[in-house]
Amino acid sequence: GIRDVAVTGVQTCALPISSFTYAVTVTPASPATGSITATKFGSTDRTSLINWLRGEDNYGDEAGPGSGVTVRPSVHGDVLHSRPVVINYGDATRGTVVFYGSNDGQFRAINGSQATSLTNWDGTTVPAGGELWSLVLPEHYSKLARLRVNTPELKFPTTQLANAQPKDYFVDGPTGVYQLLNADGTINKAILYLTMRRGNATNGSRFIYAVDVSTPTRPVVLWRKSSADSGMAELGQTWSRPRVTLLQGYRNTGSDVTINLGNSGSVTIRTNEYIPVLVFGGGYDANEDTDPPTAADTMGRAVYFLHALTGDLIQRFEPSCATGATACTSVSGLNYAIPSDITFVDRDNNGYTDKMYVGDLGGNVWRLDVSDATPSNWTMRRLAALGCDTGAPTGTPATKCTQEASLIS
């Protein structure tokens, strides 16, 4: 129903005004007993939400600049932890493109050229600094409506509202990249690896995505890995940047293998060629949000090695591998999450990684030997216990390794 509401009070205007009325939609309809809820106008249907994400102010709570411009002022969300990745494709057609995630639910591709326009997938011209496209992951669909209607309210330390909720995060982690070059130095293949930090799915699944951007105006999702996949249960909040490397002993020992990458063609790894390997830490455990933690870490206590093109699990280090588990090596004392990036080292200067270093949230520093041709022979050993000689951190604040190790060799 519609109810007229009178508002009285002293006004300072050209004409004396003591009251005015406006229409408020009420639920339940008048007359009724009990509480009355005022509801903002604006549809929450799929089309309205998509158009709102694209910048349309269709909820009616943001005044645009006018003069025919209807884009809402909040069209771009915060870029908090995402690290922009810049790819110079080396040719005039693809130019330079900047990729990054933001906490409005979108992972963006921007024309990074200073003055050159690019032709987008639909034939439109995108000027320098313009957006080519944005990607919204299905795990985040259910969080989008809250951004539009601002309900539930955002919870701050001083918030008194009982139904206020913490901020939602999306593709908020660092982005990894794989590049395969042509003989002239232009990009042949480019793949991005998207991480979320706290932008988990509503069902608690933690995950990363691989997106082929070899043609930057036509992105293709290649694969997704989550804590629900076989061998990935230890994956925590994905804070560690996935990094690609060639390992000293890890080659294709069989016949040529051609990997189909969809719209961008394929990659052939020939006999005796090195296989690109994606390496990242197991991630973060929210138990570490308090200092000292009130509960032991239950996730993130791992280092993962995946085939950079297919996403297949090559090897992992975990606290304890299940009986009969493949591609897994148990590591004694690996009791703390590893949210930091992995540091690669080429000790013999032959161009291939043979050692790696990383710290955990217990203040322990680990050395990984990955020089052997057989992944099951790779090792992970504790190099130093900086939190305490027992390997468990003491004191407040506790010693934690959250950043990539810097190494002087």
Side-chain angles (χ1 to χ4, degrees):
I2 300 295
R3 173 169 297 178
D4 289 337
V5 179
V7 179
T8 60
V10 178
Q11 307 289 325
T12 303
C13 304
L15 296 175
I17 299 175
S18 60
S19 67
F20 63 91
T21 62
Y22 61 93
V24 177
T25 303
V26 295
T27 305
S30 175
T33 59
S35 60
I36 296 176
T37 302
T39 305
K40 273 187 176 178
F41 295 101
S43 172
T44 56
D45 64 276
R46 174 179 177 271
T47 300
S48 295
L49 184 56
I50 291 174
N51 289 336
W52 184 86
L53 283 172
R54 289 172 171 167
E56 180 182 285
D57 178 22
N58 56 26
Y59 192 59
D61 62 342
E62 298 183 62
S67 302
V69 179
T70 59
V71 175
R72 56 188 172 85
S74 65
V75 67
H76 199 300
D78 63 282
V79 182
L80 186 58
H81 299 107
S82 178
R83 307 176 200 168
V85 168
V86 180
I87 298 181
N88 183 348
Y89 287 86
D91 55 48
T93 302
R94 296 176 293 176
T96 300
V97 180
V98 181
F99 302 92
Y100 63 92
S102 56
N103 286 315
D104 54 10
Q106 301 176 68
F107 183 85
R108 288 180 166 84
I110 305 296
N111 178 1
S113 303
Q114 292 185 336
T116 305
S117 298
L118 295 177
T119 301
N120 214 348
W121 63 273
D122 59 354
T124 58
T125 299
V126 179
E131 181 177 294
L132 294 167
W133 50 263
S134 68
L135 170 67
V136 179
L137 301 178
E139 291 86 354
H140 295 153
Y141 289 171
S142 62
K143 299 181 179 183
L144 298 175
R146 181 190 182 194
L147 296 177
R148 181 170 179 261
V149 303
N150 289 315
T151 301
E153 295 284 345
L154 191 62
K155 185 176 184 178
F156 293 99
T158 57
T159 300
Q160 300 297 318
L161 294 173
N163 65 339
Q165 297 294 323
K167 174 183 175 67
D168 286 323
Y169 295 91
F170 297 86
V171 188
D172 189 43
T175 302
V177 62
Y178 162 83
Q179 298 179 79
L180 178 64
L181 303 182
N182 295 312
D184 62 357
T186 59
I187 296 291
N188 182 301
K189 296 291 182 292
I191 299 173
L192 302 178
Y193 304 98
L194 280 52
T195 65
M196 311 299 133
R197 280 183 69 106
R198 296 184 187 271
N200 301 322
T202 53
N203 64 0
S205 176
R206 289 87 60 191
F207 55 94
I208 67 170
Y209 269 85
V211 181
D212 184 354
V213 291
S214 302
T215 303
T217 57
R218 291 185 176 273
V220 177
V221 174
L222 292 181
W223 48 262
R224 170 189 183 274
K225 286 292 180 180
S226 80
S227 54
D229 291 327
S230 176
M232 303 293 294
E234 190 67 32
L235 185 65
Q237 295 179 5
T238 49
W239 289 34
S240 178
R241 176 167 62 102
R243 299 187 62 197
V244 178
T245 188
L246 301 178
L247 303 181
Q248 180 163 291
Y250 194 62
R251 309 183 188 211
N252 175 22
T253 57
S255 56
D256 293 357
V257 176
T258 298
I259 300 168
N260 183 16
L261 297 181
N263 292 345
S264 67
S266 61
V267 173
T268 298
I269 302 177
R270 305 195 181 281
T271 301
N272 211 37
E273 282 187 349
Y274 289 90
I275 298 172
V277 178
L278 188 69
V279 186
F280 52 94
Y284 184 78
D285 189 319
N287 286 341
E288 296 283 347
D289 285 354
T290 58
D291 192 22
T294 57
D297 291 355
T298 60
M299 64 180 72
R301 305 164 299 174
V303 175
Y304 290 102
F305 301 80
L306 307 184
H307 193 298
L309 302 178
T310 67
D312 293 338
L313 181 63
I314 296 171
Q315 178 63 320
R316 67 189 187 275
F317 293 111
E318 290 185 349
S320 179
C321 301
T323 302
T326 58
C328 186
T329 296
S330 298
V331 178
S332 176
L334 186 56
N335 301 322
Y336 296 91
I338 300 178
S340 59
D341 301 350
I342 311 295
T343 299
F344 300 157
V345 179
D346 174 17
R347 294 297 298 272
D348 52 11
N349 296 315
N350 67 348
Y352 302 100
T353 299
D354 46 39
K355 295 287 192 297
M356 299 180 182
Y357 294 86
V358 71
D360 65 24
L361 294 183
N364 302 292
V365 180
W366 300 86
R367 179 172 60 203
L368 290 70
D369 188 328
V370 292
S371 59
D372 197 274
T374 304
S376 60
N377 291 334
W378 299 345
T379 61
M380 181 174 181
R381 295 186 175 90
R382 184 159 52 203
L383 179 66
L386 305 180
C388 181
D389 57 6
T390 63
T394 58
T396 302
T399 301
K400 301 180 181 182
C401 301
T402 60
Q403 304 298 317
E404 179 181 3
S406 297
L407 186 68
I408 300 176
S409 60

